[in-house]
Amino acid sequence: MSYISVKDLSVGYDGVAVEKNINFTVDKGNYLCIVGENGSGKSTLMKTLLGLREPISGMITFGDGLKKNEMGYLPQQTVVQRDFPASVREIVLSGFEGSNGGKPFYSAVQKSEAQDNMKRMGIEDLAGHCYRELSGGQQQRVLLARALCATSKVLLLDEPVSGLDPIVTAQMYELIQSLNKDGVTIIMISHDVDAALKYATHILHIGESIFFGTRDAYLKSESALAFIRTKEER
């Protein structure tokens, strides 16, 4: 059984659907990229998967040992969030609050795991630094370490390289790919079609047309040809 199965899903807000009849599955170890034009409902879909929004209609089913609360989330940051006055260690540890019932008290095991995740993200030496003093790339690594404290199963990433320079962007993509190779299932929203086609195992395209399938099948689809052509014309 798949980690996540989505059937005839319509997503939106205030009872108004922005995208309808979405169908796809995510299996353990997949790297799914969600692509489409701005305003097509990508972030709304991700928030619906997380339970932050109610579906307009349709079903989301979790299986293969995955529970709804076992997904880590890296959202797009606001200006206020980038200026958050907490230490890197505090931010990373806060990833355990969901499993702690929202209480900011952490066990020795959790503190050790947070340290391991900071090391994994290459930010171990920044543990005592203030989050708002970090570069954009460093902040994203902190948030990835935080998400890994919430789960080691599935990460949902909403435009994780937004606003980063090309070198840091490439480093971030390599880091995400390494997590996937280590067994973490990735669901990532991306406006970068080239990166999606380089790293993803599967593509979900939403918008005027909906496509779900392997990366190779997407490359041959009308959805991909039209979308890539539109990007090139801009």
Side-chain angles (χ1 to χ4, degrees), residues 110-168:
Q110 289 173 328
K111 290 177 181 178
S112 177
E113 187 175 338
Q115 190 72 18
D116 289 342
N117 285 330
M118 285 188 283
K119 185 175 182 179
R120 196 175 182 183
M121 294 297 103
I123 54 169
E124 190 176 19
D125 60 334
L126 299 176
H129 290 230
C130 184
Y131 178 76
R132 64 183 177 188
E133 295 174 356
L134 304 182
S135 68
Q138 289 170 331
Q139 287 189 345
Q140 290 299 80
R141 287 172 181 259
V142 172
L143 295 179
L144 270 176
R146 179 184 185 275
L148 286 169
C149 286
T151 182
S152 61
K153 293 184 177 181
V154 182
L155 291 181
L156 281 74
L157 314 174
D158 191 348
E159 301 280 12
V161 300
S162 179
L164 304 182
D165 67 49
I167 293 175
V168 177

Side-chain angles (χ1 to χ4, degrees), residues 10-234:
S10 295
V11 300
Y13 38 87
D14 298 328
V16 178
V18 295
E19 192 59 75
K20 300 177 180 179
N21 300 319
I22 304 170
N23 293 274
F24 66 95
T25 58
V26 181
D27 294 333
K28 185 176 181 179
N30 282 173
Y31 190 141
L32 172 68
C33 274
I34 304 173
V35 300
E37 296 291 348
N38 291 337
S40 59
K42 299 185 296 295
S43 293
T44 303
L45 170 60
M46 186 166 280
K47 290 175 182 177
T48 305
L49 292 176
L50 288 160
L52 302 176
R53 288 193 181 277
E54 288 294 321
I56 303 295
S57 62
M59 293 181 60
I60 302 172
T61 306
F62 298 92
D64 198 17
L66 178 70
K67 297 178 182 178
K68 190 175 182 178
N69 63 351
E70 292 182 311
M71 298 189 293
Y73 179 40
L74 196 162
Q76 293 188 50
Q77 284 199 91
T78 65
V79 173
V80 173
Q81 288 168 333
R82 291 191 184 97
D83 200 38
F84 196 68
S87 73
V88 167
R89 182 181 290 106
E90 289 170 328
I91 298 265
V92 174
L93 278 167
S94 70
F96 291 112
E97 287 186 11
S99 58
N100 287 354
K103 298 177 181 178
F105 303 106
Y106 310 106
S107 68
V109 171
Q110 289 173 328
K111 290 177 181 178
S112 177
E113 187 175 338
Q115 190 72 18
D116 289 342
N117 285 330
M118 285 188 283
K119 185 175 182 179
R120 196 175 182 183
M121 294 297 103
I123 54 169
E124 190 176 19
D125 60 334
L126 299 176
H129 290 230
C130 184
Y131 178 76
R132 64 183 177 188
E133 295 174 356
L134 304 182
S135 68
Q138 289 170 331
Q139 287 189 345
Q140 290 299 80
R141 287 172 181 259
V142 172
L143 295 179
L144 270 176
R146 179 184 185 275
L148 286 169
C149 286
T151 182
S152 61
K153 293 184 177 181
V154 182
L155 291 181
L156 281 74
L157 314 174
D158 191 348
E159 301 280 12
V161 300
S162 179
L164 304 182
D165 67 49
I167 293 175
V168 177
T169 291
Q171 292 171 344
M172 185 61 63
Y173 279 135
E174 291 295 330
L175 190 59
I176 294 168
Q177 185 184 41
S178 73
L179 291 174
N180 183 242
K181 287 181 177 178
D182 286 343
V184 180
T185 301
I186 303 294
I187 302 174
M188 181 176 73
I189 292 173
S190 179
H191 67 276
D192 187 343
V193 180
D194 290 338
L197 295 176
K198 180 178 180 180
Y199 296 106
T201 61
H202 294 74
I203 301 289
L204 173 64
H205 178 118
I206 61 176
E208 291 186 8
S209 63
I210 296 178
F211 171 92
F212 169 69
T214 64
R215 174 183 56 195
D216 291 342
Y218 180 66
L219 280 170
K220 300 173 184 176
S221 71
E222 288 297 325
S223 295
L225 294 173
F227 187 51
I228 294 170
R229 185 165 55 246
T230 300
K231 290 287 185 181
E232 289 174 345
E233 290 171 353
R234 290 179 179 174

